[in-house]
Amino acid sequence: RQHRWRCAEVTFTCPEGELSVMLLLLLLLLLLFTANRPKHLLIYINPYGGKRQGKRIYEQKVAPLFAAAGVSTDVIVTEYANHARDHLRTEAELKKYDGVVCVGGDGMFSEIIHGLIWRTQIDGAVDPNCPDETLQTCSLRIGIIPAGSTDCICFATVGTNDPVTSALHIIVGDSQPMDVCSVHHNNAFLRYSVSLLGYGFYGDVLTDSERKRWMGPARYDLSGLKMFLTHHYYEGTVSYLPARGIIGTPRDAARCRSGCVVCQHNGKLLTERSENDGEWRTIRGKFLAINAASMSCACPRSPKGLSPAAHLADGTTDLILVRKCSRFDFLRHLLRHTSKDDQFDLTFVEVHRVRRFRFTPRHCQSDSDLELDLLGNASKRQIFSQICRDHPACGCAPAYSCWNCDGEILTHTAIDVRVHCQLIKLFARGIEEPAVFEDLANPCAI
Ligand SMILES: CCCCCCCCCCCCC/C=C/[C@@H](O)[C@H](COP(=O)(O)O)NC(=O)CCCCCCCCCCCCCCC
Ligand SMILES: Nc1ncnc2c1ncn2[C@@H]1O[C@H](COP(=O)(O)OP(=O)(O)O)[C@@H](O)[C@H]1O
Ligand SMILES: [Ca+2]
């Protein structure tokens, strides 16, 4: 039910001893040679993620399943932030393993991909600082045991946040490719993102919530309410390269599901064609939020997610622009994330499926703009917003927000984002259609 998996024992009886031995051998051979099951895993546990239950969840719910399935493990409980990332980058003997597993939230998953992707590029002599390089795909699959606050990457790839379900997907050796966005600033690498890149509302929610980490997952609701009431907007320029020739749009009724044909088709297409095909488009404006969702970003707070029709592995990201509007209208938009109504069907919201995009905030738009400022031609508003950034007590709106990159704060505001199609693989199979479950639950149907 609801995508949750459980262990069950099945006992076969066989009247002939010899036949039973042959059946057993056949089963063992099938498991060994046809299923791509991991035998040796490297596991990182964040003991401080979510409700600080990572270690307990792993020991009580996951370790017994790995032991029963004959999967051997090397377990590292992290001692500081970026411990897992740095260990993967330099020390870990990756050849020994069939996969890497993280126990924690989206932040912990982010550490793992940063370690693995970086290591793969360095080993393959690819320069990660160059935004135009074609990155090498990572061969090790990644598993997520959810023990964080939002756990949207687990939810959007498995359909539920349940440690036992995730452990079983790892054991049976499922494989789900996934897109990764690289984020650069002036030809310097900043971060990778797989779920949400959000400027404005989600950036501000994250900054505010980090000060309330002691509250656990509820910090996001409180900071969400606070930033909703604060209602800041930000000026800037977004330019993007629309995804051309692919199938699927952000307004489709169809969803990315297990064995998704859209991901298969677009993945094949993008490996054959130059991604720079097409013309850049530019939009200037005042925005409450600029969000790029590379996957639906479904999570328990919003089961359909930020961009319900986004795909896990189609080589694109959905760029959602929410322009300045009234608080009431913004609330209508937010509330639609929790209902069947279309959150994009509002005059102040637009959504584009893109391969690449750039953002420049208003105050660092170009050198000529700056020169104008210095010459004293800048409007009073510009001068005041400059002053007020340094004097938050006056309560006027700040000029800059920050980017929320899979739940980590980015220090740069001007960024260049590019989607790398199917760069990593997860121990998951995407969300399965409910009809499949009903059939399997009913032996007569089979
Ligand atoms: C009024 C209700 C509105 C509900 C709107 C919900 C939209 C939720 C979309 C969530 C997208 C989440 C994308 C995932 C981000 C994560 O990578 C990332 C890190 O996760 P981790 O902590 O596990 O490491 N998580 C986050 O950045 C958290 C984002 C959470 C945003 C919550 C926003 C709540 C908004 C509440 C507004 C309340 C208005 C009420 C007015 C009466
Ligand atoms: N041992 C540790 N001590 C402190 N911070 C850690 C540790 N291990 C990982 N982190 C950091 O904790 C942050 C939150 O981790 P995450 O697992 O995503 O939990 P949550 O979902 O609650 O945010 C991440 O930025 C990660 O880098
Ligand atoms: Ca995608």
Side-chain angles (χ1 to χ4, degrees), residues 45-52 77-85 102-111 145 147-152 191 206 210 213 216-217 219-220 406-409:
I45 303 177
N46 176 1
Y48 299 111
K51 295 180 183 157
R52 302 180 175 228
V77 179
T78 62
E79 285 160 23
Y80 46 88
N82 292 326
H83 183 171
R85 184 199 67 183
C102 59
V103 184
D106 294 341
M108 197 55 191
F109 178 80
S110 179
E111 281 203 30
I145 304 294
S149 299
T150 315
D151 297 317
C152 112
R191 284 195 78 85
L206 183 69
E210 279 300 302
R213 204 161 244 292
R219 69 190 184 279
Y220 289 132
D406 292 357
E408 303 295 308
I409 299 170

Side-chain angles (χ1 to χ4, degrees), residues 178-181 194 256 263 293-296 309-318 353-354 419 421:
M178 208 159 74
D179 298 334
V180 177
C181 288
V194 292
C256 184
C263 290
S294 301
M295 55 163 75
S296 69
H311 286 270
L312 288 167
D314 68 339
T316 72
T317 187
D318 288 350
R353 189 155 280 182
V354 310
V419 189
C421 189

Side-chain angles (χ1 to χ4, degrees), residues 17-29:
E18 213 173 296
L19 187 61
S20 68
V21 173
M22 275 174 64
L23 280 173
L24 194 65
L25 275 174
L26 193 66
L27 273 174
L28 286 173
L29 284 174

Side-chain angles (χ1 to χ4, degrees), residues 105-107 148-152 195-196 201-202 205-206 219-221 224-225 228 297 299 301-302 306 331 334-335 337-338 404 406-407:
D106 294 341
S149 299
T150 315
D151 297 317
C152 112
S195 58
L196 165 70
F201 182 68
Y202 290 102
V205 169
L206 183 69
R219 69 190 184 279
Y220 289 132
D221 300 312
L225 177 63
F228 167 74
C297 294
C299 58
R301 266 187 195 82
S302 167
L306 277 180
L331 183 62
L334 284 178
L335 279 173
H337 289 82
T338 60
N404 175 338
D406 292 357

Side-chain angles (χ1 to χ4, degrees), residues 303-330:
K304 65 176 186 176
L306 277 180
S307 189
H311 286 270
L312 288 167
D314 68 339
T316 72
T317 187
D318 288 350
L319 185 61
I320 305 160
L321 307 176
V322 185
R323 290 180 190 268
K324 188 185 163 196
C325 62
S326 68
R327 275 192 186 81
F328 178 72
D329 276 341
F330 190 45

